[in-house]
Amino acid sequence: MKSPLQFSSVPLALPTAAFIAGVLCVILLEISCIWWITITSCLTVALLLAMIIKGTHSRNLLTASVCLSLWTAGAADAWIQTPEDIEVLADAESMRGTVINSEATPNGSRSIITVDSIFYNDGNRAAISNLKLILATDSAELTQGESVLFRAKLTAPDSLPFLDSGKYAEMLKNKGIAGYAYSSGNMIRTLGEASGAEAAASRMRNNMESVIAGSSMQPATKGFITAILTGGRGMIDTRSRKMFSGAGLAHILALSGLHLAIIAAIVSTILLPLNIFLHFKIRFILIVILLWAFTLFTGFSPPTVRACVMATVFYAASILERPHFRFNSLCAAILVIVAADPLSIVDAGFQLSIICVLSILLFADRLNPADRRKNPALYSSASILTTSVAATLGSWLITAYYFGHIPLLAIPANIIAIPLSAPYLTLALTYFACLASGWDAAPLRWLLDKGYEAIELLAESASSATLAFTPSAESVILWTVGMLLCGIALHVRRKGWFRFLPGTICLAGGILTSLFIGTPVEQGLIISQSHGILTINHRYADKEATHIYQRGATGSASCGPLRYAVLQRPLESMTPAEIDSARKADIIVVAGSYKGEIDALVEDPVGKTLILGPNIRKKEKARIITGAERLSLTTHDIMLNGHFRKNLGIH
């Protein structure tokens, strides 16, 4: 018989909420931590003294004291781990740090660097902590786990040449990344392997990725297997990422509780013979140790840590022969993750992970029509559907908030994809073991290639049905609170529909707010260059595209009412169609080896803009500028003035 009120056995719920409240006071409200610690400490002492003076041990007073203490601890933790401001690097000649993650880009590579030291022109060195940068370079991909010394030009994230750069800057800030740095390859020097467990884990991931990359699988399969085994998504192209996201299957590409549960099942099966020779508790202890080793190997991503903590609490309860409550495990996971990284609380991955798990715990069992004891097989089969429905209902608004769309076929896609994940991940681990031993098993390779083709076909089919929608933050908060209240109402003893009223009001408020209050989305055109390569991003009327023009490439496209043309060859070598497109364009980009008179491209200069791109010879550039001045053309030099941005309104 199910307990009528599971929440009575969740003692970590209030302490977790208090700790999170303290973290939010520092991160969101930016309340001075010194004053907050002083005030809450005084209140805690006052409550304890009141209990001592009265000679009573009031449970409410004790609970209030514990919550105030944890509130203070949360504020102090967030304050201590607040990332350094990028301004500390303003006068630095060079920086030293460890490569945490690195992936190839069309223009070179992009890496996440944890900076530990900065060096000044006078030779002085200063140690630094809690500072991460994204380092973009034209050199080959850097090696994870290496220590590097580099000089770089720093850029604030909100001034990057991206659409919705403010939102992108906020996302980086929530991940603890303070800024964006550009450096040429000859300004980066490797210093050997960095010390520490995380650096060693990064090197292990890099070695594993190298082994997979050297196999004879199809390139797309290599990227997918690398993502589900190591968490590295550098080998997955943008099209595939958007396709999985549009299908509601993005969680399959990111290491999460699904992957850790499969790993735990595999490890538990392998260690099953230990029950014959040793006590079963020894087997459970080994499982926990191996799960934490895998979590360290994958870089302590919040979804993996959350799942690992929950598994640890589950196995600890079995070892201690105590009852296990899943809500308590989730609270413990939240406490561990937020204490280790306070900024994770405002990270999209953490929020989606927690909301999905909480929705599953609240609703999945109650939605399941089968009885676990009477018909376990039917219950397990139905749980795939109820789990997908619960997770989708809980997270659909927050998914739309962060990704700008709603995957309409997420539930059927997950019903098919989730059962396939376990055998596919098992095959991938087996194939990697064969590769590590020097054997490229052809049957396994064929199965993995065909399996990924099936998953990709499923994602492509499901991603065709998406609804472009970006709700406001208020609607997301109302919907989440409403789901939580309705879930609690399902588990309380009280009967009648009235217990669902508060949750229903919040859910209705979330839907209405999402319909009438939207998040502003930038529409327009951005032209930028990186290492001599032109990149053009544009969005209009929910249609978005990115075009990369290598040196010498010529082409044209449109962004709503605007039309642009890119010319990187001599005028005499262009076709009449290319010249005609340039004449009709509102924005003309000349770069590379372009030669010719501007007059030939401009019939009416009114409303037209001329962009000077990279790689133009100085004499040719001077001649083009002279011609543009003669025609009174609006000009912009990307090399001197940075990227060009043309807004078409924000809705």
Side-chain angles (χ1 to χ4, degrees):
M1 181 177 179
K2 293 182 180 179
S3 171
L5 182 59
Q6 292 181 332
F7 297 100
S8 61
S9 301
V10 190
L12 285 179
L14 274 178
T16 302
F19 190 89
I20 289 174
V23 171
L24 290 175
C25 283
V26 174
I27 292 177
L28 298 182
L29 303 180
E30 298 182 354
I31 298 175
S32 174
C33 187
I34 300 299
W35 283 105
W36 186 252
I37 290 175
T38 303
I39 294 171
T40 52
S41 298
C42 291
L43 287 174
T44 304
V45 172
L47 286 171
L48 293 174
L49 287 175
M51 286 191 295
I52 294 172
I53 292 171
K54 290 184 177 181
T56 179
H57 298 287
S58 170
R59 184 175 181 180
N60 292 335
L61 287 176
L62 183 60
T63 301
S65 301
V66 171
C67 289
L68 278 173
S69 300
L70 283 166
W71 195 315
T72 306
D77 183 45
W79 177 61
I80 292 170
Q81 297 195 57
T82 298
E84 291 278 2
D85 198 302
I86 196 173
E87 291 180 0
V88 301
L89 304 176
D91 300 326
E93 180 190 19
S94 59
M95 293 157 267
R96 188 185 71 186
T98 302
V99 181
I100 300 300
N101 192 15
S102 185
E103 60 182 43
T105 65
N107 303 334
S109 65
R110 192 180 76 159
S111 309
I112 297 178
I113 309 289
T114 301
V115 179
D116 55 58
S117 299
I118 55 177
F119 301 88
Y120 299 98
N121 291 325
D122 56 7
N124 289 331
R125 169 185 172 273
I128 199 167
S129 60
N130 295 332
L131 179 61
K132 292 181 182 178
L133 297 175
I134 290 181
L135 177 63
T137 175
D138 57 354
S139 65
E141 188 175 353
L142 300 178
T143 303
Q144 296 176 149
E146 274 191 336
S147 179
V148 294
L149 182 70
F150 60 95
R151 295 181 183 179
K153 177 183 177 183
L154 300 176
T155 305
D158 56 0
S159 63
L160 290 171
F162 302 139
L163 292 166
D164 302 321
S165 57
K167 188 174 181 179
Y168 181 74
E170 189 68 24
M171 182 195 72
L172 293 184
K173 179 183 176 182
N174 294 343
K175 293 181 178 295
I177 298 173
Y180 216 91
Y182 294 91
S183 179
S184 59
N186 57 4
M187 303 298 288
I188 301 176
R189 182 160 60 94
T190 57
L191 304 176
E193 295 181 350
S195 58
E198 287 193 64
S202 296
R203 290 192 291 273
M204 291 174 63
R205 288 199 304 273
N206 186 67
N207 292 336
M208 188 173 188
E209 291 172 8
S210 299
V211 171
I212 295 173
S215 70
S216 54
M217 288 184 294
Q218 296 176 4
T221 310
K222 293 179 184 179
F224 182 70
I225 289 179
T226 300
I228 64 175
L229 292 184
T230 70
R233 289 180 283 178
M235 296 175 65
I236 299 177
D237 56 39
T238 304
R239 171 187 166 275
S240 297
R241 296 189 192 193
K242 289 183 177 180
M243 186 171 60
F244 275 86
S245 176
L249 298 173
H251 61 93
I252 293 180
L253 295 180
L255 285 173
S256 60
L258 173 66
H259 301 81
L260 199 79
I262 296 171
I263 296 292
I266 294 172
V267 171
S268 180
T269 303
I270 293 174
L271 296 180
L272 190 61
L274 291 181
N275 285 1
I276 301 174
F277 308 102
L278 300 172
H279 199 278
F280 75 93
K281 294 182 180 181
I282 303 297
R283 173 169 161 259
F284 287 169
I285 292 172
L286 289 175
I287 291 172
V288 171
I289 293 173
L290 290 173
L291 289 180
W292 277 108
F294 177 76
T295 304
L296 169 64
F297 168 73
T298 55
F300 288 111
S301 63
T304 313
V305 173
R306 183 261 309 156
C308 194
V309 172
M310 292 185 70
T312 301
V313 173
F314 169 78
Y315 284 113
S318 300
I319 293 169
L320 298 174
E321 299 181 7
R322 303 287 296 174
H324 169 255
F325 296 98
R326 295 173 294 174
F327 294 100
N328 228 24
S329 302
L330 180 60
C331 291
I334 295 172
L335 267 178
V336 170
I337 295 171
V338 176
D341 182 12
L343 280 176
S344 63
I345 198 170
V346 288
D347 179 61
F350 173 80
Q351 293 175 5
L352 282 168
S353 175
I354 297 302
I355 288 174
C356 286
V357 173
L358 184 59
S359 299
I360 291 170
L361 295 182
L362 288 172
F363 298 103
D365 280 348
R366 297 305 174 101
L367 292 174
N368 200 316
D371 188 281
R372 176 182 289 180
R373 295 182 179 179
K374 293 181 180 179
N375 200 333
L378 181 60
Y379 177 88
S380 298
S381 300
S383 64
I384 299 174
L385 173 61
T386 57
T387 298
S388 299
V389 170
T392 301
L393 286 176
S395 63
W396 73 279
L397 262 186
I398 192 171
T399 300
Y401 175 76
Y402 283 113
F403 300 108
H405 65 263
I406 299 174
L408 300 178
L409 296 179
I411 293 176
N414 278 281
I415 291 174
I416 299 173
I418 289 176
L420 294 176
S421 299
Y424 193 90
L425 185 57
T426 305
L427 281 175
L429 285 170
T430 306
Y431 180 68
F432 174 76
C434 294
L435 287 176
S437 63
W439 176 38
D440 192 344
L444 292 178
R445 182 182 69 242
W446 183 84
L447 286 172
L448 290 171
D449 282 335
K450 295 301 179 183
Y452 177 71
E453 288 177 6
I455 294 173
E456 189 179 50
L457 180 62
L458 172 66
E460 186 176 8
S461 302
S463 64
S464 61
T466 58
L467 176 64
F469 179 59
T470 307
S472 63
E474 294 84 357
S475 61
V476 174
I477 294 172
L478 283 172
W479 179 267
T480 304
V481 172
M483 290 292 293
L484 178 61
L485 292 176
C486 288
I488 293 174
L490 276 175
H491 292 264
V492 298
R493 292 189 179 93
R494 188 182 302 169
K495 302 296 183 181
W497 62 268
F498 187 76
R499 68 186 192 275
F500 293 101
L501 185 60
T504 304
I505 292 174
C506 288
L507 291 176
I511 294 175
L512 291 175
T513 307
S514 66
L515 293 176
F516 294 104
I517 302 177
T519 301
V521 176
E522 181 181 359
Q523 297 195 45
L525 178 75
I526 297 176
I527 302 175
S528 61
Q529 70 87 27
S530 177
H531 311 299
I533 298 173
L534 280 168
T535 301
I536 300 181
N537 299 296
H538 58 78
R539 180 197 292 146
Y540 188 77
D542 299 323
K543 292 183 180 179
E544 186 173 350
T546 299
H547 299 290
I548 297 175
Y549 292 88
Q550 301 288 342
R551 186 169 181 173
T554 297
S556 61
S558 61
C559 173
L562 288 178
R563 186 168 186 83
Y564 65 86
V566 178
L567 311 176
Q568 299 193 86
R569 297 201 315 268
L571 187 62
E572 60 186 19
S573 66
M574 294 182 192
T575 64
E578 291 173 338
I579 296 175
D580 186 57
S581 295
R583 286 174 177 168
K584 295 178 180 178
D586 302 287
I587 299 172
I588 302 171
V589 185
V590 293
S593 57
Y594 174 81
K595 290 181 181 180
E597 295 295 335
I598 293 299
D599 305 63
L601 303 176
V602 179
E603 294 177 349
D604 182 6
V606 177
K608 292 187 180 294
T609 302
L610 177 67
I611 307 294
L612 300 173
N615 306 316
I616 303 181
R617 296 181 180 273
K618 289 183 179 180
K619 290 183 179 180
E620 190 64 31
K621 179 184 286 190
R623 195 163 65 85
I624 292 171
I625 292 174
T626 301
E629 290 175 348
R630 185 174 63 252
L631 296 171
S632 299
L633 273 176
T634 302
T635 60
H636 180 92
D637 191 335
I638 288 181
M639 298 299 292
L640 295 178
N641 308 117
H643 63 273
F644 172 81
R645 200 181 206 101
K646 180 71 172 179
N647 288 324
L648 296 176
I650 297 179
H651 67 86

